[in-house]
Amino acid sequence: MVIRLGSFEGGREVLSEERKSFSDLNPATGEVLAEVEEATKEDVDRVVKIAQGGFKRWSKIPVAQRSALIHRLADYLESRSEELAEMETRDTGKPLTLSKSLDIPRSIFNFRFFADYAKTLGTEAFQSDDQAINYALRRPVGVAGLISPWNLPLLLLTWKVAPAIAAGNSCVIKPAELTPLTAYELARAAQEVGLPEGVINVVNGFGPQSAGEFLVAHPNVDLISLTGETSTGKAVMANAASTLKRVSFELGGKNPLIVFADCDFDEMIETTVRSSFVNQGEVCLCGSRVYVEEPIFDKFVDAIKARAEALVVGDPFDPKTQMGALISKEHKERVAGFVERAVVDGAKVVTGGGTPRTLTKGNFFEPTIIVDVKSGCEIVTEEVFGPVITVEPFRSEEEVIAKANDTRYGLAATFWTSNLRRAHRMAAQLEAGVIWINTWFYRDLRTPFGGMKQSGIGREGGVHSFEFYTELSNVCIKL
Ligand code: NAD
């Protein structure tokens, strides 16, 4: 059944046959899941006004009560986690096992984590000799515009919504046009558990000259948190400038993954298969540029090739499936284009590079490993955002650090070694906001998360999220 999605505003769904609409497709089957109404500028104006009302009500509620309501929301989402996981899988094409083990439980945990953290937030105080005492007052900012991508739709959205509302803000969400289902369900759930009207609102549509842009430019939207491509960050920053609103950006990456010969090889291979191909390689943190110390280069390529070829690609609802479909036909063509041009540039495809033989329907693409890449060629410099890695040998620490940092991105870097002194040396020299040593994707939500260089602005996680979603006023009292 094709459902219709409009906007969710003031605690209710608003549908209008007069709005233009677009189709939301299942990437694995091409089936139409929903007809989605594109919000107009007038729609966004109305929803922002409603969110301003929501902010007035919500920000006055004591933090312990807000926290309890957010926990109630988490409980409710948990009671519906099977259904939400299936919805996320239909919308994204990712394996159901992943939606069940990662997307939905982590989304729920985001709410619990920030609801608890909000209750512990403090501020600073300074005594200025015998002249004055200063203390800081913390308060929510207002209406938060939250713009999310399609790869981990609910997980990355709740990473924004949870701290925003725990701090007392209201929000207007603009989910990715390719994956609007779970954001809408979240707004419905908030209503169901009794969050005040207008605290969580949703508008649907695209970015430029559509709902995304209208939200960013809106004078009564007080902040924008965006996760998306680096080029989108640039457009949003320019558009936000006229109202000088604060921005937090989690953007693209081209993350290095470095393997030293002294690492625990089996553990490294196990994790590297995941860091290369999980979620079809559509994770901003995936290690797409792999550098392997020369003595174990051939051993590494043989092992990762065998593991990639053993991955089960196919029906996302089959429990044996390890890789599902790419998000759209256009994205699959984009990924295939990168591989084709790399080959023209002289690179060699060790495995993969095309559509799996038995999967001609849906946007499936094989796990792909590429070697013999020329330095500076496109496949090494541009974000592919698919199940494609390049593997290059290196001889020294200095050489690999220079290669790893030779990028305009700086999101994540991973390396594998058993040499403790080298580990600290490397960590201090790699230009990335997130550094993993002998692990990948391990996250403690209290830690700062975000990118250097063109991978983002600001940090999220723990107190860093609250620094963004709150304002501080210093109060100075003369003694
Ligand atoms: P995208 O930039 O195309 O879209 C992201 C969101 O921004 C969507 O909701 C889109 O409609 C909206 N948007 C696009 N242009 C806009 C504009 N001009 N004004 C306002 N909104 C606009 O990104 P995507 O294709 O959905 O996601 C993939 C990208 O996201 C990759 O580059 C990936 O690395 C990045 N990403 C980063 C992180 C991180 O934490 N750093 C996490 C996940 C994804």
Side-chain angles (χ1 to χ4, degrees), residues 147-148 150 174 177 207 212 227-229 232 250-252 284 383 385:
I147 304 180
S148 52
W150 47 259
K174 209 299 281 170
E177 52 273 28
T227 300
E229 286 182 17
T232 304
E250 304 288 359
L251 306 176
C284 55
E383 185 182 39
F385 216 58

